[in-house]
Amino acid sequence: MPEYYEIKIKGHIDKYWSDRFAGLQLRHLTGNETLLSRSLPDQLALHGLLERIRDLNLILISVTSNCPSTQ
């Protein structure tokens, strides 16, 4: 089941990089940060995106999702 993720990166990433990040929406935040957001189909897609962020030597600040808690 797809999950909606928000990934915060240090620095402002140019909007043309959206394709490089699987079509994620890019939004510049105050404090020199960029928010990447979108639903991803599964954890494999999330890990692939995180690897891409690492390979580009970008600084990861946070990853959040709308994952329902399991009890």
Side-chain angles (χ1 to χ4, degrees):
M1 174 183 269
E3 300 282 344
Y4 178 81
Y5 289 95
E6 291 185 340
I7 301 169
K8 199 179 292 185
I9 303 292
K10 184 167 178 79
H12 285 167
I13 299 171
D14 195 286
K15 302 256 183 205
Y16 95 94
W17 282 65
S18 180
D19 290 340
R20 180 104 170 159
F21 290 107
L24 270 78
Q25 179 183 3
L26 301 177
R27 191 172 81 213
H28 293 156
L29 305 174
T30 58
N32 196 32
E33 298 173 350
T34 299
L35 184 69
L36 308 171
S37 59
R38 179 181 166 199
S39 290
L40 297 173
D42 52 31
Q43 287 285 305
L44 183 62
L46 173 62
H47 285 271
L49 180 59
L50 293 174
E51 286 175 3
R52 202 167 308 135
I53 289 168
R54 178 204 62 207
D55 291 347
L56 292 169
N57 203 30
L58 299 172
I59 298 171
L60 179 65
I61 296 172
S62 66
V63 177
T64 57
S65 78
N66 68 345
C67 249
S69 61
T70 55
Q71 304 204 22

